[in-house]
């Protein structure tokens, strides 16, 4: 019998960095407007009309949710969350009117969300979780897939226990592409319950705030690409090649030395390093990798810290791009003696079955009526509606990298 139960049952079913960014948006960018687009990168995946209708129904159910006082009390205890933001969340809910959901796309599913950045930022992760779970419920035998997932997860737990893999500190980052709520919860619970048995790995927490609360682990997450795209490109007076500077500056105004892991690849890591000079490199506890060769990126970051006179052993390199245990172990072995290393592992922990996982994203494409773009460190991870804007942004970055003088001093 087809499972029609509600997919998202709590507003805490959200990646932690949405609350990190949400608080800063509330205090500094509450008037910003954004538009978001859904995209499925799997060329062979088609959403049926029945799936689209069920996705609409699930989104309506999501829009009926409200934060409970117990959930707000949990958020209020997080060190970097302020009471003013908690009070705002007490009033917050998703608006179904912000969504357009239909079948007018090559994959059979089009989703657009438009409204205040305060609202639309909070839609991305639950919508992706809904799309994933609905798709796998309709396209496959859910019980059979869950059985495959459970067997593979048990083998992974065993491999961590016997020392086959060495991860050091790692977190579960799989909410957006999870097989189901049941699968992600099983992964978090088993990782927590077996952590004391892991030979050379330590399970820190999960990006899913709902599960972090339920299982008493750390909610993990700082910023996403949208932060640099909107804070850096949403103001029409800004040169977009300085997106990172505007975004880092706003983050420090909000958090000071707290909650500081900077994302490097929104408009290429090389451009990011022009702005990640002594002040920011000191204030931020580390940096996150999300595209390009992670070994090349790691060496580049260590050289940058050393050039600034900062001992890399005091900083964290957080790797989060398409990781499995084997790749994480190789990165741990390469860098753990030279800096702090951590991993955010997503689909490998939340949606590993005999069936290929969906490669779906929902990205901001406009801010305040203007195109915004992510360039990334590798082809295929960028997203923008307007090729002319991408060309303009690339030319701005190229000019800065080739012509700017006197901006890379220590500061």
């Amino acid at each position: 019998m087809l499972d029609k139960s509600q997919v998202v049952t709590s507003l805490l079913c959200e990646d932690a960095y949405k609350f990190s960014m949400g608080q800063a948006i509330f205090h500094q960018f509450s008037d910003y407007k954004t538009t978001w687009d859904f995209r499925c990168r799997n060329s062979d995946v088609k959403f049926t009309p029945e799936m689209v209708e069920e996705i609409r129904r699930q989104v309506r159910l999501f829009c009926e949710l409200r934060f409970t006082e117990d959930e707000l009390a949990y958020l209020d205890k997080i060190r970097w969350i302020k009471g003013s933001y908690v009070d705002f969340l007490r009033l917050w809910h998703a608006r179904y009117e912000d969504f357009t959901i239909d079948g007018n796309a090559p994959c059979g599913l089009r989703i657009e969300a438009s409204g205040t950045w305060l609202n639309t930022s909070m839609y991305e992760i639950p919508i992706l979780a809904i799309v994933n779970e609905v798709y796998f419920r309709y396209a496959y035998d859910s019980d059979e897939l869950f059985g495959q997932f459970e067997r593979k997860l048990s083998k992974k737990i065993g491999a961590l226990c016997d020392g086959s893999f060495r991860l050091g500190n790692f977190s579960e980052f799989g909410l957006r592409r999870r097989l189901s709520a049941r699968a992600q919860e099983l992964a978090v619970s088993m990782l927590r319950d077996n952590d004391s048995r892991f030979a050379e790995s330590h399970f820190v927490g999960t990006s899913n705030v709902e599960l972090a609360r339920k299982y008493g682990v750390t909610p993990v997450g700082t910023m996403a690409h949208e932060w640099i795209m909107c804070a850096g490109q949403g103001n029409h007076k800004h040169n977009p090649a300085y997106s990172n500077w505007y975004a880092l500056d706003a983050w420090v105004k909000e958090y000071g030395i707290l909650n500081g892991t900077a994302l490097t690849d929104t408009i290429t890591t090389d451009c990011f390093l022009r702005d990640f000079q002594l002040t920011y490199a000191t204030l931020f506890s580390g940096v996150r990798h999300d595209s390009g060769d992670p070994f090349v990126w790691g060496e580049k970051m260590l050289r940058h810290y050393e050039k600034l006179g900062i001992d890399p052993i005091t900083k964290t390199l957080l790797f989060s791009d398409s990781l499995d245990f084997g790749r994480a172990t190789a990165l741990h072995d390469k860098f753990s003696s030279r800096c702090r290393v951590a991993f955010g592992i997503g689909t490998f922990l939340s949606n590993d079955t005999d069936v290929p996982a969906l490669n779906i994203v929902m990205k901001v494409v406009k801010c305040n009526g203007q195109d915004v773009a992510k360039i990334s460190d590798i082809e295929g991870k960028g997203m923008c509606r307007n090729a002319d804007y991408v060309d303009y942004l690339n030319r701005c970055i190229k000019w800065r990298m080739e012509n700017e003088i006197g901006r890379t001093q220590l500061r």
Side-chain angles (χ1 to χ4, degrees), residues 2-7 51 54 57-58 131-142 145 179-181:
L2 188 63
D3 184 359
K4 302 271 284 188
S5 61
Q6 186 167 348
V7 173
M51 292 177 187
E54 176 63 6
R57 189 181 74 86
Q58 291 286 347
V131 170
N132 259 295
E133 189 152 355
V134 168
Y135 175 80
F136 285 109
R137 284 178 181 180
Y138 276 73
Y140 299 94
D141 183 316
S142 296
L145 284 186
L179 174 64
S180 64

Side-chain angles (χ1 to χ4, degrees), residues 159-389:
L160 293 177
C161 291
D162 68 21
S164 297
F165 297 107
R166 298 169 298 281
L167 276 62
N169 292 328
F170 74 100
S171 301
E172 186 276 327
F173 273 20
L175 173 53
R176 70 183 59 214
R177 295 187 183 124
R178 67 187 185 185
L179 174 64
S180 64
R182 180 187 176 200
Q184 189 185 22
E185 181 165 356
L186 180 66
V188 171
S189 64
M190 288 187 65
L191 290 166
R192 185 206 62 173
D193 292 347
N194 288 279
D195 181 58
S196 62
R197 300 173 54 228
F198 295 161
E200 298 183 63
S201 305
H202 172 49
F203 177 59
V204 174
T206 173
S207 63
N208 184 330
V209 181
E210 180 186 24
L211 293 180
R213 175 184 179 235
K214 183 172 182 177
Y215 289 96
V217 297
T218 302
V220 181
T222 303
M223 68 175 69
H225 297 98
E226 69 174 277
W227 177 254
I228 296 96
M229 293 164 70
C230 293
Q233 300 173 37
N235 186 326
H236 300 186
K237 297 177 182 178
H238 292 171
N239 180 332
Y242 295 85
S243 295
N244 289 300
W245 187 90
Y246 291 109
L248 294 173
D249 183 61
W251 198 265
V252 170
K253 285 178 182 176
E254 186 68 31
Y255 293 112
I257 63 172
L258 298 178
N259 201 28
T261 302
L263 182 58
T264 70
D265 70 328
T266 306
I267 57 168
T268 74
T269 293
D270 287 339
C271 193
F272 168 85
L273 293 179
R274 291 293 181 98
D275 293 313
F276 197 63
Q277 296 298 318
L278 186 59
T279 298
Y280 293 140
T282 301
L283 289 173
F284 282 82
S285 61
V287 287
R288 177 162 74 93
H289 171 267
D290 198 54
S291 67
D293 188 315
F295 295 94
V296 172
W297 176 88
E299 295 291 351
K300 182 179 294 187
M301 292 310 309
L302 295 186
R303 287 195 303 271
H304 186 73
Y305 279 124
E306 289 167 350
K307 185 177 78 171
L308 296 175
I310 296 173
D311 186 350
I313 204 68
T314 66
K315 298 297 180 180
T316 298
L317 301 188
L318 172 59
F319 296 90
S320 64
D321 181 31
S322 303
L323 294 175
D324 58 27
F325 285 174
R327 196 173 198 195
T329 296
L331 289 164
H332 176 268
D333 291 349
K334 177 72 173 179
F335 294 110
S336 61
S337 65
R338 303 157 65 193
C339 65
R340 298 171 182 172
V341 177
F343 301 99
I345 302 178
T347 307
F348 180 71
L349 285 175
S350 70
N351 195 355
D352 185 14
T353 71
D354 295 341
V355 173
L358 293 184
N359 186 355
I360 57 175
V361 294
M362 192 167 178
K363 298 292 186 184
V364 60
V365 292
K366 283 185 176 294
C367 185
N368 297 330
Q370 176 172 290
D371 293 294
V372 293
K374 167 190 168 188
I375 300 298
S376 194
D377 284 335
I378 190 172
E379 291 291 332
K381 293 199 76 171
M383 185 165 173
C384 182
R385 285 179 174 177
N386 188 343
D388 289 338
Y389 179 74

Side-chain angles (χ1 to χ4, degrees), residues 79-198:
R79 185 182 181 194
W80 44 264
I81 288 186
K82 301 171 184 176
S84 57
Y85 181 54
V86 173
D87 283 342
F88 163 73
L89 291 178
R90 185 170 281 110
L91 304 174
W92 188 84
H93 65 91
R95 297 179 69 255
Y96 188 74
E97 295 78 11
D98 290 344
F99 293 95
T100 300
I101 304 172
D102 58 43
N104 296 323
C107 69
L109 175 64
R110 179 175 74 102
I111 303 176
E112 180 183 286
S114 296
T116 65
W117 190 15
L118 268 173
N119 277 357
T120 53
S121 176
M122 297 287 281
Y123 299 161
E124 175 195 0
I125 305 303
I127 298 307
L128 292 175
I130 286 170
V131 170
N132 259 295
E133 189 152 355
V134 168
Y135 175 80
F136 285 109
R137 284 178 181 180
Y138 276 73
Y140 299 94
D141 183 316
S142 296
D143 290 336
E144 182 178 340
L145 284 186
F146 184 81
Q148 296 168 7
F149 172 82
E150 189 172 22
R151 288 190 293 274
K152 291 190 175 193
L153 178 62
S154 295
K155 290 181 180 179
K156 292 168 189 171
I157 297 293
L160 293 177
C161 291
D162 68 21
S164 297
F165 297 107
R166 298 169 298 281
L167 276 62
N169 292 328
F170 74 100
S171 301
E172 186 276 327
F173 273 20
L175 173 53
R176 70 183 59 214
R177 295 187 183 124
R178 67 187 185 185
L179 174 64
S180 64
R182 180 187 176 200
Q184 189 185 22
E185 181 165 356
L186 180 66
V188 171
S189 64
M190 288 187 65
L191 290 166
R192 185 206 62 173
D193 292 347
N194 288 279
D195 181 58
S196 62
R197 300 173 54 228
F198 295 161

Side-chain angles (χ1 to χ4, degrees), residues 42-60:
N42 304 77
S43 59
D44 58 343
V45 167
K46 298 296 179 184
F47 291 86
T48 66
E50 292 78 16
M51 292 177 187
V52 174
E53 186 54 42
E54 176 63 6
I55 288 166
R56 285 198 195 98
R57 189 181 74 86
Q58 291 286 347
V59 173
R60 289 191 191 96

